[in-house]
Amino acid sequence: MAETIVMKDSGLSVPDRPIIPFIEGDGIGPDIWAAAVRVFDAAVEKSYGTSRSIEWLEVPAGTKGYEQTGAWLPEKTKEAFRTYLVGIKGPLTTPVGGGFRSLNVTLRQELDLYVCLRPVKYYQGIPSPVKRPELVDMTVFRENTEDVYAGFETPQGSAETRELITYLEREFGWKIRQDSGVGIKPVSISATERLVRAAVKYALARRQKTVTLVHKGNIMKYTEGAFREWGYAVARREFPDQVVGWDDFEGEVPEGKVLVKDVIADAFLQQILTRPAEYDVIATLNLNGDYVSDALAAQVGGIGIAPGANINYETGLAIFEATHGTAPKYAGLDKVNPSSLILSGKMMFEYLGWDEAAQAVERGVSRAIAAGEVTYDLARLMDAAREVPTSGFADAIIRGM
């Protein structure tokens, strides 16, 4: 009998047959979901036989949500994620001309999913623009609720912009050109602390050696610079026996501890190309995290194979997702690469504590790619590859388990 995942003081309590809501997605969403769900069910069956299974519960959003309910993001869909805690979704379109800035952003903010989690690693055989892509193995903790996501903007030439510019000059002496648009971004202690706390816990649990705070604090001292200071402070205060500070570092991180360090964002974007092996877990603000996640994905083969999740580690609520767009011109063609969604499912299994199922997915994906049984996007770049459809790639992954 299917049951609900619940959050207890000790962490998630996951039954053997959890109910997991899913959003199929727009455009290519149905194609990649059909492939991914077969992989997920096969991984569970191969790992646990009949002792565990997932009851999938479809919830509408995007085009399907609008067609069924008149809302792009129905309240019953948000309520399903609140009730069942863990879910997964395909890519969603965003309505043009008004309403939501982004359905994905709205989900993250309304459900307070404060970590955008993006692991990045290389799979042997995938074409890469860098010489040593296998050295890239990082996990990005991107703050998901403030910075540009909670920013306020006023357009150039509007009455409110003129009023704001006048106020800022009168009250603070800020000289802003009259023909400017104006943007304000908030960065708070509370959001910084819970992000860095989650990143340090993650690193310690996985025996990672470093957590790096990526920021532009040399210029934006009271937002990004404060993020750096608050990040160091919470790490030292809450993990005094497990954290090594950058100032105390002498060349070797002791076993069972993690080094917390920081780097300016532009320098970091250079160093992930020149010495990526120096970085494990990254904690950063929203806009930086957007740039960094996609830049790292490009080094290991592109966003088409990049998994992601949006998580609140305090409530347990988590939504795993494909990180790419809807690609409507390929919809219904059984053609596109489902790896982003499939590897997001691997992350979901890890989050549930179903490590055997996660490892089965990992084995299947690795072996399918190594054998050259891949979708068109990879086949056209690989020597001696055999192009297979979306469904055929799922078949290859299942065989590889």
Side-chain angles (χ1 to χ4, degrees):
M1 180 178 177
E3 299 178 68
T4 302
I5 298 168
V6 296
M7 187 66 170
K8 298 182 177 180
D9 291 341
S10 57
L12 280 185
S13 176
V14 181
D16 288 335
R17 289 174 172 77
I19 300 168
I20 294 183
F22 72 93
I23 296 171
E24 189 177 53
D26 294 320
I28 58 172
D31 296 42
I32 63 173
W33 174 254
V37 72
R38 289 200 295 117
V39 170
F40 302 153
D41 288 340
V44 173
E45 182 182 357
K46 288 177 182 291
S47 300
Y48 311 113
T50 59
S51 65
R52 287 180 179 175
S53 63
I54 293 173
E55 180 167 314
W56 300 104
L57 172 67
E58 184 173 8
V59 292
T63 302
K64 189 174 285 188
Y66 188 78
E67 290 174 348
Q68 292 182 10
T69 70
W72 293 95
L73 187 58
E75 188 58 42
K76 69 176 183 179
T77 294
K78 291 179 281 186
E79 192 55 40
F81 287 124
R82 292 187 185 102
T83 298
Y84 299 111
L85 288 186
V86 176
I88 190 166
K89 59 177 283 295
L92 289 174
T93 191
T94 294
V96 176
F100 295 112
R101 178 163 42 174
S102 162
L103 296 177
N104 294 320
V105 172
T106 302
L107 263 177
R108 295 165 188 174
Q109 291 194 315
E110 294 197 13
L111 300 179
D112 197 25
L113 303 173
Y114 64 86
V115 171
C116 180
L117 188 68
R118 292 281 296 272
V120 186
K121 64 172 289 185
Y122 179 67
Y123 288 89
Q124 190 65 40
I126 291 181
S128 167
V130 299
K131 290 183 177 180
R132 299 289 304 279
E134 70 278 4
L135 298 180
V136 178
D137 190 356
M138 302 181 210
T139 304
V140 179
F141 277 69
R142 170 191 175 193
E143 207 291 318
N144 228 359
T145 63
E146 51 184 26
D147 190 12
V148 294
Y149 271 9
F152 178 75
E153 292 185 297
T154 60
Q156 183 274 328
S158 70
E160 60 182 348
T161 300
R162 290 194 296 271
E163 182 180 353
L164 180 57
I165 289 173
T166 300
Y167 173 81
L168 292 172
E169 182 172 357
R170 183 181 69 244
E171 298 295 328
F172 298 101
W174 293 1
K175 301 291 186 181
I176 301 174
R177 292 187 180 94
Q178 292 296 316
D179 59 350
S180 300
V182 178
I184 298 172
K185 71 171 194 177
V187 176
S188 69
I189 294 178
S190 56
T192 298
E193 287 189 344
R194 66 181 184 175
L195 179 86
V196 175
R197 179 184 299 118
V200 173
K201 286 183 175 180
Y202 183 97
L204 289 168
R206 288 159 179 77
R207 298 186 178 277
Q208 300 289 298
K209 290 295 186 182
T210 65
V211 172
T212 303
L213 310 176
V214 177
H215 61 91
K216 192 62 178 170
N218 57 326
I219 303 298
M220 292 174 278
K221 300 182 186 300
Y222 302 120
T223 52
E224 304 219 2
F227 172 86
R228 172 188 182 275
E229 297 305 317
W230 298 331
Y232 274 126
V234 70
R236 291 176 177 131
R237 183 176 69 247
E238 297 190 9
F239 307 93
D241 300 324
Q242 297 167 293
V243 161
V244 178
W246 188 234
D247 294 339
D248 304 321
F249 183 56
E250 297 181 353
E252 192 67 37
V253 181
E255 188 65 31
K257 295 191 176 186
V258 63
L259 169 67
V260 177
K261 57 181 179 175
D262 75 279
V263 65
I264 302 296
D266 45 315
F268 180 73
L269 288 170
Q270 294 182 66
Q271 290 168 14
I272 60 174
L273 291 170
T274 58
R275 48 183 200 264
E278 294 182 10
Y279 296 102
D280 298 319
V281 177
I282 311 303
T284 190
L285 296 121
N286 185 277
L287 186 57
N288 291 336
D290 200 3
Y291 299 148
V292 164
S293 297
D294 284 6
L296 284 170
Q299 290 183 230
V300 298
I303 199 168
I305 62 165
N310 301 286
I311 301 173
N312 185 317
Y313 285 95
E314 296 169 353
T315 65
L317 208 161
I319 300 177
F320 298 82
E321 65 177 1
T323 59
H324 52 70
T326 59
K329 73 176 183 178
Y330 295 115
L333 300 182
D334 194 25
K335 184 178 181 69
V336 298
N337 188 342
S339 294
S340 178
L341 186 60
I342 288 171
L343 291 172
S344 296
K346 176 213 166 194
M347 292 174 64
M348 181 184 72
F349 286 135
E350 291 172 337
Y351 187 69
L352 295 176
W354 290 16
D355 292 339
E356 298 84 359
Q359 291 161 11
V361 174
E362 176 82 3
R363 280 195 306 274
V365 171
S366 296
R367 289 173 178 170
I369 293 171
E373 290 189 81
V374 293
T375 49
Y376 84 100
D377 57 311
L378 297 179
R380 64 187 176 181
L381 300 173
M382 296 169 62
D383 295 332
R386 183 170 73 88
E387 181 179 330
V388 295
T390 308
S391 55
F393 187 56
D395 293 336
I397 293 171
I398 293 169
R399 287 196 302 272
M401 290 181 188

